[in-house]
Amino acid sequence: MQRRDRGIAQSLGLPLTKRVKESRVLLVGAGGIGCEVLKNLVCSGFGSLPQYYGGEIASEISDMRRPEIVVVDMDTIDLSNLNRQFLFRKQHIKKYKALVAKETASQFNPSVNIDAQSGNIFDDKYDVAFFEGFDLVFNALDNLAARRHVNKMCLAADVPLIESGTTGFNGQVQAIKKGVTECYDCNPKPAQKSFPICTIRSTPSQPIHCIVWAKSYLFPELFGTSEEDSADVTVTEVDNVEEVAKLRIEAEALKTIRGLMGKSEFAQAVFDKVFRDDIERLRGMEEMWLSRRKPEVLCFEQFAPSMDKSEDVVERGRALAMKDQAIWSLAENLAVFSSAVDALSNRTLASPGTPLEFDKDDKDTLDFVASAANLRSHVFGIPLNSEWEIKQMAGNIIPAIATSNALTASLSVLEAFKIMRGASFEQKGVSKLTISHVAPTHNYMVTNGKEGFMLGGSKMVFLNSRSTERMITTQNLVPPQPDCAVCSPVYAKLRIPSNSSATLQDLVTLLQEKLGYEDFSIQADVGIIYDPDLEDNLEKGMIPAGYIKAGNGFLTVVDEGDEGRVDLVLSTSFTPNTTEADPESGLQLMPEEISLPSKHKSVAESNGQAMTTTEATGDASKVAAHFNAKRKRDAEEEVVGAKKRAKADEEVMVVEDDGAILLDD
Amino acid sequence: MSEKDKTVDVPPPLQHLPTAKQKKYDRQLRLWGATGQMALEESHVLLINNGPGVTGVETLKNLVLPGLGDFTILDTAIVSEADLGVNFFLEDASLGKFRAEETVRLLMELNPEVRGHALMEPIETVCMEQDALAKYNLIITAAPIDPAILARIHTQAQALNIPAFYLHSLAYFSSFSVQLPPAFPIVETHPDPTSTTDLRLLKPWPELSRFAKEKTAGFEEGTMSAHDKAHIPWLCLLLHYLEKWKQDHDGKVPEAFKEKTAFRETVRAGDYNEENFDEACAAVLKSLNPPTPPSDVRAVLTAPETQTLQHDSSDFWIIAKAINVFYAKYGQLPLPGAVPDMKAVSADYITLQNVYKTKARQDSAEVLATVRELEKPLGRTGPAVSEKEVENFCKGAAHIHLVRGRPQHTARAAGEEIRFGDRAQALANELANEESLVGLHLAFLAWDEYIATHHSSADKAGGQALHITGTSESDLEADTEKLTGIAHHLLDTLITEAGTFLEDPDYTAVKTRIANFCTELCRAGGGELHNIASLTGGLLAQEVIKVLVRQYVPVDNTCLFDGIASRTQVLRL
């Protein structure tokens, strides 16, 4: 053993150190948390087994399984990343995060195996087979869609996932394993805040209403794709139907004005339309203003006297826009508005086919939204804000600091140790426990008897570093929600030669014959393609109709029969053009045996990693017995238990671990 | 809480931050603002690094990234092969060079705006010099260190009013404690956004009463339209019903829980469906409390520093005294001025905001006038207390916090026994709690005590001379026994000093827990686990930032981390 590893081996114990070195892990995201996770993985020796060590190992391990850290990130580096994403420097701005992260991290330890990929995790090449190659996956993402996607891929590939996230001083780490714990989608995620359309378009009362108006209505109408229903704004029952109809006409009129783009009077025409004409129309609706202050009409011309003729208003706006911490006066907002309209018009005319999108880091779009929102705030007697403040509200900026990322990433890797330790026991048999030098085994052996032991004693970990009492707290992992649409189905694979002429009928027949389906439906990415009353698609070819795509597709088979077996999710993939499988169609289900329990039994019938719930003893043989026993628990009890825990989950409940340490030898 | 209110918490940025820098620091400025950023950029942190030294360097990484002004690493160690395996901020070429210089160089790469300095002198020479520590704003010392020298550092820091941190990081375990100045006040504590703001519903001022009367006129008599009734702001509803309640109850407001629930019934009876009535009912219990300041605030108002102002009193104490004058006069703190989000028509909501803002401005002006009165006889030489500072203080008056820093509780020089003194009681209370990490604290104390009594006299200079438990395989068992013996002795001292008695099985249980921690610490052989160092560096840096920017409430004063259970515990020692 190299002297470098001594410290790690001393603390982790030899068996776990070996496992860590042999591991192949995937890190999705090389941003705030990702940089930190990568550093900790590299410094803990993950995937560091020499690849061509002695020839023996290299020959046995295929490329898809060799010890390595694979990093996937599609983003490039931005200046605002540098306050925390410490693998990046100023000279790296605009380069790919994954590649630079590898380059910097490799300097620390040149012998480390990192495979950096500047790709989108949604890409077809990152299919179920790709995920199956890993011992562990780390999510270090910043958006819900990608988190949910990786969650699903890990469920399909049956690979443990460590999910993490931070917001300001807070962070959270959660281990996920199919059939053992809750998945990312077991708990509904809060919906995006949306405002009633009339509040945004007719009766704003807060700065945010004016910002949403500028960002989600005015901006796309002028420079982007007109969106009838943006996610920020919805027609709700409190909205007045007649008013909604009038608002539609108003938006149409704006489209006409869009035709003036590029002409010198464009900014003035827009201004007078939205701050004069539309406001005058609103003022005319007397019943609306019985209990409210009437909005004030603004007119472009009224500012003319205050403007020096010799000075270009666009130039003036450009200079003002640099002072984004100041609260601009009305005339200053008008100047910024003019210059932003000018800049955005030029960009739109330069490439007519590409609609612009609001981006908080795109200064022109931010200038436009900030000035338009402020002008509207003035009209309605709402306090104005600086562009800096508007940026936060418009861009949904989440504060991010180095410390929270460092903490959350370290907590992720700590959970990784536990999961790997758990996995090694599972593989090697529990008797090994007694000769282990790894202190943390106490966690495994001394469970408190009340809660189950999962994934090597892994916990849900919460970080609240602004707290002065409980900065890091834990909660036991919770078994899967039995009705979770994402993790309750059985996942299997459907393979098809890429030149196959198989039709939907072939698949239906296969499912009927192999799995005994009678009344059922099939859902593809495009929607429901088959059910007992929908037979129109049967003759269509699976590939030409787009039901099966290269790589990343899923088909969901729902049993509509009385027995109600759990859903079956088939991940689809192409095989080389051979037809050794079903000679007719080439369709092949994997694995050979797929057992589909009835909907209520699915949870109790989890795989060999079922949890022990009996009292802990220090007795390894008893633990072994529990561990090995496939527990068949009463399904109902399981459901009740899950519900109870789910309830406790509502307020961050802290279930602390037994502080004792049980040391062997 | 509306979007707008969230941003109000953030201190406004200053005009003179250059834009590129502001963009780089944007995501953190959203938390501590430009004033916090400037405080950070004006600070110089000293790290006295010992042992493997990973946690200290990881801490600095988290301070260099957000733009600390200066840092100095004092470290006499030479980079070894073992260092390369665990410290990210070293490279192969560093081997055999001074660790201080190498870590400083690589840390500086993270942020060209930060200045780093390396010191290779032994700490005992450095801290013999008069005021050698005076140029630093904060000191972090990493164990292992001779407790006698550590005590000298902490005494100097105390005399200079410099916050001093001391950290341990061994295998799966870590701890750090902070010694803050005896009076460490914080104005910008950033209270939880869900904490209730004082709305003065029990003591409304005339403008607020008038507005409520206007908005509620005729709704019970049926002369108001259903639309208008459904849009009466809940504040006004409560004020309206409170007036009625007072008429029926000798002018008294509902106080006891039963009265409040009865009061809530009368509000509910006003309308069973409308959202604004729901909001009013929901607010009864939390918004109708007498404006008694929390104990933290009372501690500030009654502190000796507030009572007797001196010519060198800081602005904080002068404003605190003025607030105390205000409180004595009105029985309440200055109005913060914020209004929660609620169902209301826009114009009413805006008017209501103005009613509160105007009153808040009046209160703040009154406090400012008192501040000016107080300043006169003091003969202060510096600039007058700024209006902005008074405003800020008034806005957050209900949430100001005072930390009374305490000297570090560490092992003593060889031959001096560790005493617990007034800490004994609180610590002893933790002993029977099997989830408490008090045992880990005792194990770390014992670990330091072992160093105090075991460092080889042949080589007194520098960290290398220290004998660390478990560094050689052959000594492991003997060392573990010794360490456990020291820790158990500490336990008995603690129990005796606390004047308590711990019954079995609790006594045996706590002894076993302590022995287990000792075995773990010994087995680490002084080694750090990178992941734990990184985590502890995150925790520690977060506290350092809180202390340097004087925002948010820092840990008071010892934080223990158990990496096996993944949790922290804070003890006040």
Side-chain angles (χ1 to χ4, degrees):
Chain A
M1 175 157 308
Q2 294 171 327
R3 287 198 55 199
R4 285 187 175 213
D5 305 338
R6 232 194 72 199
I8 301 163
Q10 218 155 5
S11 294
L12 296 188
L14 281 177
L16 182 55
T17 307
K18 184 162 175 283
R19 227 191 131 69
V20 162
K21 290 176 82 174
E22 286 169 358
S23 65
R24 177 175 172 83
V25 297
L26 172 65
L27 170 59
V28 191
I33 300 177
C35 280
E36 296 278 350
V37 169
L38 186 62
K39 168 180 68 84
N40 292 356
L41 291 178
V42 166
C43 290
S44 306
F46 276 83
S48 64
L49 199 72
Q51 300 204 343
Y52 302 103
Y53 181 72
E56 181 193 3
I57 297 162
S59 60
E60 273 179 29
I61 303 168
S62 75
D63 271 6
M64 291 294 274
R65 291 239 45 130
R66 68 164 175 244
E68 197 167 45
I69 302 167
V70 178
V71 190
V72 178
D73 195 312
M74 64 184 293
D75 269 355
T76 53
I77 295 155
D78 182 77
L79 178 60
S80 67
N81 300 149
L82 302 188
N83 78 328
R84 60 196 187 282
Q85 301 180 12
F86 71 98
L87 297 174
F88 312 141
R89 321 264 180 269
K90 228 177 196 138
Q91 68 268 26
H92 296 138
I93 288 173
K94 299 251 189 296
K95 291 187 177 169
Y96 282 109
K97 285 185 177 177
L99 306 183
V100 177
K102 175 191 168 154
E103 187 189 308
T104 313
S106 301
Q107 282 164 11
F108 163 77
N109 185 354
S111 64
V112 77
N113 308 314
I114 302 174
D115 176 11
Q117 306 192 6
S118 54
N120 185 341
I121 198 66
F122 284 94
D123 283 352
D124 283 342
K125 68 173 169 176
Y126 304 120
D127 57 8
V128 175
F130 170 81
F131 278 87
E132 279 175 330
F134 297 97
D135 295 297
L136 198 56
V137 175
F138 291 90
N139 255 357
L141 289 158
D142 62 355
N143 69 86
L144 193 69
R147 281 193 167 100
R148 297 182 63 179
H149 175 74
V150 176
N151 175 57
K152 188 168 182 180
M153 297 306 287
C154 287
L155 292 171
D158 198 21
V159 171
L161 166 69
I162 297 179
E163 162 60 42
S164 62
T166 64
T167 321
F169 291 106
N170 298 328
Q172 190 174 333
V173 174
Q174 174 189 10
I176 294 168
K177 176 93 198 303
K178 166 87 171 125
V180 179
T181 69
E182 280 187 327
C183 81
Y184 187 69
D185 272 325
C186 276
N187 295 301
K189 301 289 173 271
Q192 195 190 347
K193 175 147 175 127
S194 189
F195 298 94
I197 186 168
C198 286
T199 303
I200 299 303
R201 296 280 299 278
S202 306
T203 54
S205 61
Q206 296 177 15
I208 184 69
H209 300 153
C210 299
I211 294 167
V212 171
W213 172 83
K215 173 189 148 185
S216 303
Y217 164 67
L218 189 59
F219 182 84
E221 288 295 347
L222 289 177
F223 304 107
T225 347
S226 155
E227 282 175 75
E228 279 283 282
D229 23 34
S230 138
D232 291 344
V233 186
T234 33
V235 177
T236 64
E237 53 190 32
V238 303
D239 285 315
N240 176 326
V241 183
E242 287 167 43
E243 178 65 8
V244 171
K246 281 192 189 134
L247 290 174
R248 218 154 262 155
I249 299 169
E250 207 174 271
E252 282 304 317
L254 200 53
K255 279 192 193 121
T256 323
I257 291 179
R258 198 172 160 156
L260 291 173
M261 197 182 296
K263 303 217 168 76
S264 59
E265 66 268 31
F266 181 54
Q268 181 169 356
V270 173
F271 186 97
D272 286 342
K273 165 79 173 85
V274 297
F275 299 118
R276 187 187 66 194
D277 304 350
D278 291 351
I279 302 301
E280 269 171 359
R281 183 188 73 79
L282 278 178
R283 281 173 64 94
M285 305 176 63
E286 292 296 339
E287 74 282 8
M288 213 178 231
W289 313 113
L290 291 176
S291 57
R292 300 177 228 244
R293 169 190 173 274
K294 274 192 178 183
E296 179 189 332
V297 170
L298 291 180
C299 171
F300 199 84
E301 283 299 319
Q302 83 193 71
F303 294 96
S306 73
M307 280 187 248
D308 185 346
K309 288 277 188 229
S310 65
E311 191 192 26
D312 187 348
V313 65
V314 170
E315 283 305 317
R316 181 152 172 261
R318 207 159 284 150
L320 281 163
M322 299 310 288
K323 293 194 225 153
D324 68 347
Q325 307 97 331
I327 295 178
W328 300 323
S329 71
L330 197 55
E332 286 171 337
N333 272 298
L334 176 94
V336 175
F337 179 81
S338 302
S339 78
V341 166
D342 182 61
L344 293 169
S345 301
N346 290 341
R347 284 167 58 176
T348 306
L349 294 171
S351 47
T354 38
L356 296 174
E357 267 178 49
F358 172 77
D359 175 354
K360 63 183 188 301
D361 295 317
D362 179 336
K363 189 70 165 72
D364 294 336
T365 67
L366 180 64
D367 287 346
F368 177 85
V369 166
S371 56
N374 271 336
L375 289 165
R376 186 166 172 86
S377 287
H378 176 87
V379 165
F380 287 91
I382 297 166
L384 308 196
N385 280 295
S386 72
E387 185 175 43
W388 195 79
E389 287 164 317
I390 290 173
K391 183 179 178 185
Q392 171 147 355
M393 292 187 261
N396 291 325
I397 291 182
I398 298 166
I401 41 177
T403 47
S404 299
N405 288 322
L407 282 159
T408 305
S410 310
L411 290 169
S412 286
V413 176
L414 262 183
E415 293 311 295
F417 288 147
K418 293 180 190 168
I419 292 172
M420 302 209 88
R421 199 177 59 230
S424 75
F425 295 141
E426 184 197 324
Q427 268 191 1
K428 290 166 190 159
V430 184
S431 59
K432 291 271 184 193
L433 260 183
T434 47
I435 54 158
S436 165
H437 283 259
V438 190
T441 51
H442 85 279
N443 224 351
Y444 177 78
M445 299 172 74
V446 189
T447 57
N448 56 18
K450 282 168 276 178
E451 293 292 337
F453 168 84
M454 298 173 188
L455 292 180
S458 183
K459 301 271 176 162
M460 186 98 134
V461 191
F462 301 93
L463 166 71
N464 176 8
S465 61
R466 75 185 253 178
S467 153
T468 50
E469 298 298 328
R470 300 175 152 253
M471 291 117 97
I472 298 172
T473 49
T474 62
Q475 187 181 323
N476 280 334
L477 291 176
V478 177
Q481 298 289 337
D483 52 357
C484 172
V486 182
C487 73
S488 72
V490 165
Y491 280 79
K493 284 182 209 150
L494 178 67
R495 296 166 50 141
I496 181 170
S498 52
N499 60 350
S500 169
S501 58
T503 60
L504 181 57
Q505 179 65 61
D506 293 328
L507 176 64
V508 167
T509 310
L510 183 70
L511 290 170
Q512 285 165 336
E513 286 174 1
K514 282 249 170 167
L515 297 170
Y517 274 104
E518 286 169 15
D519 287 346
F520 66 108
S521 62
I522 303 175
Q523 198 168 353
D525 293 350
V526 294
I528 290 184
I529 53 175
Y530 171 79
D531 69 28
D533 300 321
L534 176 67
E535 303 194 331
D536 305 352
N537 299 324
L538 285 174
E539 296 313 315
K540 291 185 186 163
M542 292 297 289
I543 297 173
Y547 300 154
I548 294 182
K549 286 181 258 170
N552 265 337
F554 285 103
L555 295 172
T556 305
V557 185
V558 180
D559 192 342
E560 311 278 5
D562 299 336
E563 251 185 70
R565 298 186 299 177
V566 296
D567 296 352
L568 172 67
V569 175
L570 296 171
S571 62
T572 56
S573 62
F574 286 158
T575 52
N577 301 342
T578 52
T579 47
E580 59 182 65
D582 186 332
E584 294 292 314
S585 62
L587 288 174
Q588 187 190 7
L589 281 171
M590 297 260 293
E592 278 289 300
E593 294 284 317
I594 297 172
S595 98
L596 293 167
S598 85
K599 267 191 176 142
H600 290 284
K601 276 191 190 151
S602 60
V603 179
E605 292 275 336
S606 56
N607 58 28
Q609 284 196 307
M611 33 274 152
T612 61
T613 46
T614 25
E615 300 88 85
T617 61
D619 186 335
S621 65
K622 272 194 190 169
V623 178
H626 295 314
F627 196 67
N628 290 334
K630 268 204 173 180
R631 293 189 51 80
K632 298 206 174 184
R633 261 188 282 167
D634 181 35
E636 296 229 339
E637 178 197 306
E638 183 61 50
V639 174
V640 171
K643 271 189 192 144
K644 240 190 251 163
R645 289 185 202 108
K647 206 168 177 196
D649 203 13
E650 280 164 17
E651 34 187 297
V652 175
M653 191 188 71
V654 181
V655 185
E656 277 164 335
D657 198 18
D658 185 334
I661 296 202
L662 192 77
L663 294 165
D664 23 71
D665 66 289
Chain B
M1 181 103 335
S2 69
E3 300 286 328
K4 161 188 47 78
D5 289 331
K6 273 181 223 154
T7 50
V8 168
D9 284 345
V10 177
L14 298 186
Q15 299 299 311
H16 45 78
L17 270 183
T19 310
K21 198 160 148 193
Q22 194 197 318
K23 194 172 174 208
K24 180 164 111 185
Y25 296 137
D26 184 89
R27 299 301 186 273
Q28 71 203 38
L29 288 170
R30 311 259 165 204
L31 290 174
W32 54 69
T35 44
Q37 188 62 29
M38 276 171 43
L40 193 60
E41 288 174 19
E42 284 164 8
S43 298
H44 189 163
V45 170
L46 169 68
L47 168 67
I48 301 168
N49 216 3
N50 298 293
V54 188
T55 304
V57 173
E58 289 287 315
T59 306
L60 286 181
K61 164 194 141 259
N62 296 328
L63 297 173
V64 169
L65 284 167
L68 177 72
D70 288 78
F71 69 95
T72 296
I73 299 181
L74 188 153
D75 188 350
T76 50
I78 304 294
V79 177
S80 69
E81 191 80 29
D83 283 322
L84 297 183
V86 69
N87 197 331
F88 189 81
F89 295 94
L90 289 174
E91 53 196 16
D92 282 356
S94 307
L95 206 62
K97 297 183 182 162
F98 275 110
R99 194 168 69 182
E101 283 180 341
E102 288 298 291
T103 46
V104 164
R105 177 175 67 79
L106 288 158
L107 281 169
M108 282 195 5
E109 279 188 11
L110 298 182
N111 192 341
E113 277 150 286
V114 179
R115 293 165 299 270
H117 317 272
L119 269 182
M120 277 76 66
E121 285 170 72
I123 177 63
E124 41 278 69
T125 355
V126 172
C127 65
M128 287 307 276
E129 291 163 31
Q130 190 71 30
D131 286 348
L133 304 177
K135 67 172 167 180
Y136 305 108
N137 301 88
L138 190 140
I139 299 164
I140 303 167
T141 310
I145 182 169
D146 181 345
I149 296 167
L150 182 68
R152 216 182 300 151
I153 296 167
H154 286 160
T155 312
Q156 272 205 31
Q158 203 178 3
L160 294 163
N161 268 343
I162 300 171
F165 286 77
Y166 176 50
L167 76 93
H168 282 96
S169 177
L170 278 166
Y172 275 94
F173 305 94
S174 67
S175 81
F176 65 86
S177 48
V178 54
Q179 167 182 297
L180 288 172
F184 189 81
I186 308 132
V187 177
E188 292 179 61
T189 53
H190 299 266
D192 194 315
T194 56
S195 61
T196 44
T197 36
D198 180 15
L199 296 168
R200 281 208 198 155
L201 296 182
L202 295 178
K203 271 188 173 181
W205 62 98
E207 288 81 4
L208 179 61
S209 299
R210 202 177 312 131
F211 179 74
K213 214 169 256 162
E214 245 171 61
K215 286 296 134 191
T216 49
F219 90 89
E220 287 197 283
E221 293 78 27
T223 55
M224 187 186 276
S225 74
H227 172 273
D228 287 356
K229 183 184 165 192
H231 287 81
I232 301 171
W234 67 258
L235 285 182
C236 299
L237 285 175
L238 284 190
L239 287 166
H240 170 82
Y241 284 107
L242 276 171
E243 273 312 305
K244 283 180 69 179
W245 177 277
K246 281 199 269 186
Q247 282 166 20
D248 299 343
H249 295 80
D250 305 329
K252 287 195 184 117
V253 293
E255 278 168 19
F257 180 74
K258 269 196 175 160
E259 289 174 325
K260 282 187 193 168
T261 47
F263 173 71
R264 192 167 57 191
E265 287 313 308
T266 68
V267 180
R268 188 74 279 181
D271 193 296
Y272 287 96
N273 300 314
E274 289 299 342
E275 200 183 332
N276 54 337
F277 281 81
D278 295 346
E279 288 176 342
C281 289
V284 166
L285 290 181
K286 57 177 198 188
S287 298
L288 298 189
N289 293 316
T292 329
S295 58
D296 278 339
V297 177
R298 279 203 307 272
V300 172
L301 297 187
T302 56
E305 291 95 328
T306 311
Q307 298 305 322
T308 344
L309 292 180
Q310 312 279 351
H311 71 280
D312 58 351
S313 291
S314 67
D315 291 2
F316 177 87
W317 297 114
I318 296 169
I319 306 173
K321 175 124 191 178
I323 301 254
N324 198 26
V325 169
F326 186 97
Y327 181 65
K329 191 169 166 192
Y330 300 105
Q332 51 202 351
L333 295 169
L335 188 74
V339 184
D341 213 1
M342 66 186 71
K343 189 180 183 200
V345 295
S346 309
D348 286 350
Y349 185 72
I350 292 167
T351 312
L352 199 55
Q353 276 184 320
N354 286 333
V355 169
Y356 272 86
K357 251 183 227 154
T358 309
K359 183 64 186 163
R361 251 180 252 132
Q362 279 170 12
D363 285 1
S364 165
E366 187 168 341
V367 173
L368 180 65
T370 314
V371 165
R372 294 288 176 249
E373 285 303 309
L374 293 169
E375 277 176 318
K376 272 183 215 161
L378 290 177
R380 279 159 46 101
T381 45
V385 176
S386 83
E387 200 177 327
K388 187 84 206 137
E389 214 175 329
V390 173
E391 254 172 50
N392 252 350
F393 202 126
C394 289
K395 223 167 95 185
H399 300 282
I400 48 172
H401 190 93
L402 175 66
V403 179
R404 289 289 187 194
R406 290 164 63 88
Q408 289 268 7
H409 183 234
T410 54
R412 316 293 297 269
E416 283 180 58
E417 281 245 8
I418 295 175
R419 313 298 302 181
F420 291 88
D422 58 358
R423 299 166 168 99
Q425 198 58 57
L427 274 179
N429 289 341
E430 292 278 320
L431 291 174
N433 176 4
E434 60 174 31
E435 294 190 342
S436 173
L437 295 178
V438 65
L440 180 59
H441 176 66
L442 293 177
F444 275 131
L445 266 183
W447 196 80
D448 285 355
E449 173 83 356
Y450 178 99
I451 288 168
T453 47
H454 286 78
H455 72 96
S456 53
S457 51
D459 186 1
K460 274 194 176 138
Q464 300 96 310
L466 302 177
H467 184 80
I468 311 298
T469 62
T471 30
S472 75
E473 287 280 333
S474 56
D475 294 344
L476 187 59
E477 212 165 301
D479 278 357
T480 306
E481 212 165 287
K482 268 190 212 161
L483 186 66
T484 310
I486 299 172
H488 282 164
H489 177 69
L490 283 174
L491 171 70
D492 291 337
T493 311
L494 170 62
I495 293 172
T496 313
E497 280 196 52
T500 51
F501 185 74
L502 200 57
E503 302 267 357
D504 256 338
D506 287 349
Y507 181 65
T508 313
V510 72
K511 278 186 88 167
T512 311
R513 285 197 295 272
I514 291 171
N516 288 338
F517 282 126
C518 288
T519 312
E520 272 301 287
L521 297 189
C522 261
R523 215 183 51 189
E528 280 185 78
L529 207 51
H530 180 85
N531 201 52
I532 299 293
S534 177
L535 185 138
T536 311
L539 283 175
L540 191 50
Q542 188 57 64
E543 296 309 310
V544 168
I545 290 170
K546 285 180 188 172
V547 170
L548 290 178
V549 306
R550 290 249 176 174
Q551 292 179 36
Y552 302 94
V553 180
V555 156
D556 183 19
N557 51 18
T558 301
C559 176
L560 297 148
F561 176 71
D562 174 352
I564 292 170
S566 292
R567 70 192 171 88
T568 55
Q569 184 178 5
V570 173
L571 294 173
R572 185 158 202 267
L573 300 176

